[in-house]
Amino acid sequence: MTTRLAVLYGGQSGEHEVSCRSAASILAHLDREQYQVTEVLIDRDGGWHVDGQPTPLPAALRVLRAQDVVFPALHGPYGEDGTVSSLLEWLGVPYVGNGVFASAAGMDKGVTKRLLAAEGLRVSPGVTLRPGEDLSPDDQRRLELPVFVKPARAGSSLGVVKVDDWAGVPAAVEQARQVDPKVLIEQGARGREIDVAVLQHPDGRVQAGPPLEIRVTGAGFFDYDAKYDGGAIFQIPAPLDEATTEVLQDRAIRAFQALDCRGLLRVDFFLPTEGSPEPIVNEVNTFPGFTAASQFPQIWQQAGIGFAALIDILISGALADQDHSHHSGLPRQARAVDLV
């Protein structure tokens, strides 16, 4: 018996193209004997297309509602931020990945930092500037250069500027506000860049994969261009001792639990090369890049879970989650802790 599956991708965010690439990889690796696949594209203007045909929104929603499960391969605002999760909850259709709260909290870097810090995880000092606010002298004294100025609610390092001189902050804030009016100024962390992928299996077991180390070629940092134009080298597993690996994996799972995640998460760390060895959580991704070249699938490939098997695990988890809700009588969001 085939499973009716819709892959939902595109969207109106600045990561439309990345989403299309993620979806193309997912579609290429789906077993068509196991899944009856429908492609649902949201174009840059917000128009909906089902299997390549322009489709009015009510009809597109009926298509989604008729599925056994939806795989939202969306990145950034209007996709990864809880908006589509809430739509699918409202439609009552099972879907792969994180629910409304985890998606919304994970998209806002300032909120993420507060939740992780409350869990006892280490984060870099920073300040959130809302529209109209500027960096105060007190905050400037508290932070050390360099700082990174980031849009609070955007992915793929869009609009992120590294600032080495306080005089450069206003222009960097203005640039970040082109992406999001809410801006995070964060003290730059010195250390090795390590990513850890977290995967929830259909039986509820949560597993952290082998750490991945990012080495950026050239003098830059891991920005949008480095991510997608080959300016970085991934080393999996990262050359770390066993104890450090275990600490990173433990902190990644704690971040997954602190944000009430479901299905998957990628946690990006800085591993300090001096001072306290406790890893610093830099960012989280509630739906990380899903091309064959992306960190998340590569990490699980190294762990012995190929791309097709990874997709199957996530889809089976979404269906198992739905089955559990019928037996528990609880809404999907209320059950996330049960499965951890």
Side-chain angles (χ1 to χ4, degrees):
M1 181 177 163
T2 57
T3 298
R4 291 167 299 176
L5 169 73
V7 178
L8 177 60
Y9 64 100
Q12 294 175 266
S13 82
E15 295 182 80
H16 177 95
E17 183 59 37
V18 180
S19 171
C20 291
R21 289 190 216 173
S22 288
S25 290
I26 292 163
L27 290 162
H29 288 86
L30 285 168
D31 179 351
R32 298 306 172 110
E33 292 186 3
Q34 186 175 351
Y35 302 108
Q36 179 185 324
V37 180
T38 301
E39 295 185 35
V40 181
L41 166 70
I42 305 172
D43 66 30
R44 293 178 190 273
D45 297 322
W48 291 64
H49 305 256
V50 176
D51 287 334
Q53 299 300 312
T55 307
L57 178 58
L61 296 182
R62 283 195 296 273
V63 168
L64 290 177
R65 183 174 253 161
Q67 306 301 312
D68 294 317
V69 62
V70 175
F71 199 131
L74 291 154
H75 301 295
Y78 306 108
E80 197 180 346
D81 58 358
T83 51
V84 167
S85 301
S86 62
L87 173 66
L88 297 172
E89 294 275 357
W90 179 70
L91 291 173
V93 61
Y95 58 93
V96 169
N98 283 290
V100 179
F101 173 78
S103 299
M107 176 54 63
D108 188 314
K109 296 177 175 67
V111 171
T112 299
K113 284 169 69 77
R114 287 195 290 275
L115 288 169
L116 297 181
E119 177 67 19
L121 295 167
R122 186 181 179 192
V123 297
S124 287
V127 60
T128 299
L129 301 183
R130 289 168 179 80
E133 293 181 341
D134 298 312
L135 185 67
S136 72
D138 282 348
D139 284 324
Q140 184 172 317
R141 281 190 289 272
R142 185 168 59 86
L143 301 174
E144 296 175 11
L145 289 168
V147 294
F148 283 86
V149 180
K150 307 175 177 182
R153 297 162 295 198
S156 276
S157 303
L158 289 168
V160 176
V161 180
K162 182 182 180 183
V163 179
D164 295 301
D165 185 325
W166 291 117
V169 167
V173 168
E174 189 58 37
Q175 183 173 331
R177 282 189 168 140
Q178 302 301 312
V179 180
D180 183 7
K182 186 177 178 184
V183 170
L184 179 68
I185 300 179
E186 194 169 64
Q187 184 173 305
R190 294 172 179 82
R192 298 163 64 183
E193 290 193 61
I194 309 286
D195 292 352
V196 178
V198 181
L199 178 64
Q200 187 172 33
H201 292 265
D203 63 1
R205 179 170 51 94
V206 177
Q207 179 185 5
L212 170 154
E213 182 162 12
I214 299 168
R215 298 181 186 276
V216 178
T217 56
F221 63 95
F222 194 46
D223 61 3
Y224 185 91
D225 291 336
K227 285 180 180 178
Y228 300 112
D229 293 341
I233 296 166
F234 302 148
Q235 189 167 357
I236 320 168
L240 299 165
D241 61 69
E242 189 175 338
T244 303
T245 295
E246 287 177 1
V247 167
L248 286 160
Q249 291 174 324
D250 170 76
R251 303 304 185 264
I253 289 173
R254 282 173 58 189
F256 183 94
Q257 294 169 333
L259 296 172
D260 208 10
C261 288
R262 186 181 70 206
L264 73 167
L265 185 71
R266 196 188 78 222
V267 187
D268 302 345
F269 294 94
F270 284 111
L271 188 62
T273 47
E274 53 191 50
S276 167
E278 176 65 25
I280 300 166
V281 180
N282 180 37
E283 291 184 4
V284 301
N285 281 267
T286 55
F287 186 73
F290 239 83
T291 71
S294 300
Q295 295 107 294
F296 193 89
Q298 283 202 44
I299 286 169
W300 292 112
Q301 182 79 44
Q302 186 69 29
I305 300 174
F307 203 112
L310 180 62
I311 294 168
D312 288 342
I313 288 169
L314 290 167
I315 294 170
S316 297
L319 290 167
D321 193 51
Q322 178 75 357
D323 290 342
H324 188 82
S325 72
H326 291 320
H327 292 123
S328 70
L330 292 172
R332 294 166 65 83
Q333 280 303 103
R335 292 177 287 100
V337 173
D338 296 348
L339 294 175
V340 170

